[in-house]
Amino acid sequence: MPLQSIETVTGKLTWKRPAQTKPETRWRTAAQQRIYGQRLLQALKSARRSSSSSQPLAPSRAIKEAADSALALTAKGQTRWSRAILSRRWRTRKLLLKAGGKIRSRSSNPKRIGRPGLGSGSPSDPRQGEEEKVRVRLRVLSRLVPGCRKLSTPTLLEEAADYVAALEMQVKAMRTLSDLFSSATLSSRAES
Amino acid sequence: MSRALPEMLQCADLTVLERKRERMKWQQQQQYQQSYLQESQMSFIPSFQAEMLELPMMQEMSKNGAENGWPDLGKYQINDTESAAYLTAGFGAVADYGISRTASCPPVVGEEKGGDFPVPEKMVVKESSKKRRADKAATCLKANDVVEGTRDKRLKGDTNEEESKATEQNPTATTTTTNNNNNNSSSINNRETSADSSKENSKVSEVQKPDYIHVRARRGQATDSHSLAERVRREKISERMKFLQDLVPGCNKITGKAGMLDEIINYVQSLQRQVEFLSMKLAAVNPRIDFNIDNFFVKEMLSGCNGSYSTLGVSQELTNPVLLQFNPMHQGVTCSGMDMAINPSDITLRRTTSAPLSLPDTFVDSYFHANGSSSNNWDIDLSTLYSGDFQQGRQSGFPSQSLTGNLEVNNLKMEM
């Protein structure tokens, strides 16, 4: 019995071990950024095309989803959050097909209210022990990282680290693109 | 050429037969090179030359021993001297610009000789690069062999150590670990003995990776398996927390898990909000820029095939008719760019110097007249910035505006 428990624990750990050293270098390499830039552009193009035809989503929403799924594709589905993003996309699409767009508008509001409520309410409570505080934060964090609601703490932290690095890169790429486009449109506006 | 032969003869490691074989090989190569030199005498272009001179030289100097290195060394020396002489004899005009030998810019050649040579030139370049690649592959193979040998040794050492360590541990753990060690070392032995079927063996070794970790209980700590596992878990958590702390800015000063987690949560939220905001911004801009995306995408594709950048740049330079009829201003600029590009690892610079060439002639003229004064203090960041400006200018067709947006394109380097 004790032998078995050790084996299960170690099995999990070694499965995670190779992925652990990767993210610190992976998302900050130029190659990864270039790949993501290409994917992002492709996704933007397709998002524009689909939104112009017939899509109930708002344009900014469509672009955000396109950028997210591009990010997940760049992560190659090796991490949990990327798989979650991809599957979420499929799920929402299926739901939208079923319900005709009624569900999304209802479900998006309480989520947005509920998130900061948990985050801001917990630190003000003085009688919480350190343990409890940490647990609450971890729950909040697990809700922030897609697809990590029911994970053990070490796995959650690992996923969070990878997700943070990926988000950083995404922000960088999107900012560059938007700067480029805005300056281009500025100049074209000045021209006309 | 004359230096290479004694080098080989001095080489004491080789046996007589080997030496003979090497000499045969060398002679063959020499003949081949002579013919190919004559064939390509008129066509030395900067990127080709710089590569031939520096990149392989350094690699081979560092990588391999005498047996593989000397013919190549000889070859490059030949090329060096030959081309230098050729340069000084042929082009007094180039010397006016005060350029070193690597800056024998193609525009001058094109002006004097006309357009009859580009095709053989390209051929030669391709050939040489192929050959070089083969050489590199051979050296890489050798290096890999050596590395693998050492790694095997190291692995063996490790396993021995671990075996000795494992005996100190509690009995349940020792049984599993020793088993694993045995498996591991046997797989290593397999790999050593039959190096031919390395694929299978690597698979085997992957399967038999050691699936254990070392937990050492200090004095007074509990040693039953549950608390050991708990300790491992806590170590993992703290390790990951440290990693996250490095990742999140401003998280280094905070002590305590709760504060750190707060900071991490805030950072993730802010990043997600930024993504949302940026996507709104992009959506606002998006309807007007679909033609821009096309341009941009083509450019990214070009920059994407980074590995064959030299041949790509060369062919761009060759196939471009713009290149053959420049104003001297542009020549000067390209020359200074080439001077900067002596270090062949500056891929971006090389690419950016060839990037302006694909622009329409009139635009290039106007642009370089606009800031020709700043062409003296080029550095790499500046040049990439310029290329970004070019791109932008092409998108809008309005260079003066794109100059104002200069600072915003600062991050453009990331895309390349």
Side-chain angles (χ1 to χ4, degrees), chain B residues 354-410:
Chain B
S354 65
L357 305 186
S358 62
L359 287 180
D361 218 349
T362 56
F363 179 66
V364 167
D365 281 353
S366 67
Y367 193 81
F368 274 105
H369 283 309
N371 41 341
S373 61
S374 68
S375 66
N376 290 328
N377 49 0
W378 276 44
D379 60 6
I380 297 163
D381 282 333
L382 261 181
S383 64
T384 49
L385 249 182
Y386 282 171
S387 87
D389 275 342
F390 277 130
Q391 189 60 37
Q392 215 174 325
R394 185 154 56 154
Q395 281 164 5
S396 59
F398 207 66
S400 63
Q401 275 292 328
S402 68
L403 268 176
T404 61
N406 218 345
L407 288 176
E408 292 176 350
V409 205
N410 218 342

Side-chain angles (χ1 to χ4, degrees), chain A residues 175-191, chain B residues 285 289 291-297 299 355-356 358-360 363 367 382-413 415-416:
Chain A
R175 178 163 297 150
T176 312
L177 260 190
S178 71
D179 282 350
L180 255 180
F181 288 158
S182 63
S183 56
T185 47
L186 257 183
S187 56
S188 71
R189 205 182 291 158
E191 194 184 15
Chain B
V285 174
I289 43 108
F291 63 96
N292 281 342
I293 283 183
D294 286 331
N295 275 344
F296 203 81
F297 193 61
K299 188 189 147 213
S358 62
L359 287 180
F363 179 66
Y367 193 81
L382 261 181
S383 64
T384 49
L385 249 182
Y386 282 171
S387 87
D389 275 342
F390 277 130
Q391 189 60 37
Q392 215 174 325
R394 185 154 56 154
Q395 281 164 5
S396 59
F398 207 66
S400 63
Q401 275 292 328
S402 68
L403 268 176
T404 61
N406 218 345
L407 288 176
E408 292 176 350
V409 205
N410 218 342
N411 279 336
L412 190 104
K413 213 172 145 197
E415 297 278 337
M416 294 177 178

Side-chain angles (χ1 to χ4, degrees), chain B residues 154-384:
Chain B
R154 213 186 51 218
L155 263 178
K156 251 186 174 174
D158 275 352
T159 48
N160 285 337
E161 266 183 27
E162 277 164 3
E163 259 174 348
S164 64
K165 258 189 208 167
T167 47
E168 294 171 9
Q169 299 221 338
N170 52 351
T172 53
T174 35
T175 49
T176 57
T177 50
T178 43
N179 273 342
N180 282 324
N181 271 334
N182 285 338
N183 283 341
N184 215 13
S185 57
S186 70
S187 75
I188 286 170
N189 284 338
N190 274 341
R191 193 161 46 154
E192 271 182 323
T193 47
S194 62
D196 297 324
S197 57
S198 61
K199 230 183 213 175
E200 282 179 13
N201 275 328
S202 69
K203 249 184 210 167
V204 166
S205 66
E206 264 180 15
V207 169
Q208 292 181 344
K209 259 180 189 169
D211 50 351
Y212 59 88
I213 40 161
H214 285 295
V215 197
R216 298 199 69 171
R218 288 200 205 91
R219 179 186 285 259
Q221 281 181 330
T223 50
D224 62 310
S225 59
H226 288 287
S227 45
L228 274 183
E230 176 60 25
R231 198 172 305 132
V232 167
R233 181 175 161 271
R234 245 180 276 139
E235 265 170 27
K236 276 256 135 83
I237 289 175
S238 64
E239 180 191 326
R240 306 256 155 91
M241 284 296 277
K242 214 172 282 170
F243 182 52
L244 262 172
Q245 204 177 3
D246 290 340
L247 215 61
V248 176
C251 204
N252 284 323
K253 301 156 216 162
I254 303 167
T255 55
K257 250 185 184 178
M260 258 159 64
L261 278 173
D262 262 343
E263 200 66 25
I264 290 164
I265 288 167
N266 279 339
Y267 189 57
V268 170
Q269 271 178 339
S270 77
L271 280 177
Q272 281 176 343
R273 240 174 273 137
Q274 271 179 10
V275 167
E276 221 156 290
F277 170 71
L278 282 172
S279 62
M280 267 157 67
K281 208 169 159 190
L282 276 176
V285 174
N286 214 0
R288 301 170 206 160
I289 43 108
D290 47 345
F291 63 96
N292 281 342
I293 283 183
D294 286 331
N295 275 344
F296 203 81
F297 193 61
V298 165
K299 188 189 147 213
E300 295 239 347
M301 285 301 284
L302 268 181
S303 69
C305 41
N306 226 345
S308 61
Y309 73 97
S310 60
T311 53
L312 188 132
V314 166
S315 63
Q316 261 188 356
E317 278 171 8
L318 286 179
T319 53
N320 241 317
V322 183
L323 195 102
L324 299 177
Q325 2 127 359
F326 281 115
N327 55 342
M329 192 71 199
H330 194 178
Q331 252 179 39
V333 172
T334 36
C335 288
S336 67
M338 288 307 174
D339 256 338
M340 301 286 298
I342 281 175
N343 185 5
S345 67
D346 291 341
I347 299 166
T348 56
L349 193 74
R350 178 67 52 76
R351 208 173 51 69
T352 49
T353 47
S354 65
L357 305 186
S358 62
L359 287 180
D361 218 349
T362 56
F363 179 66
V364 167
D365 281 353
S366 67
Y367 193 81
F368 274 105
H369 283 309
N371 41 341
S373 61
S374 68
S375 66
N376 290 328
N377 49 0
W378 276 44
D379 60 6
I380 297 163
D381 282 333
L382 261 181
S383 64
T384 49

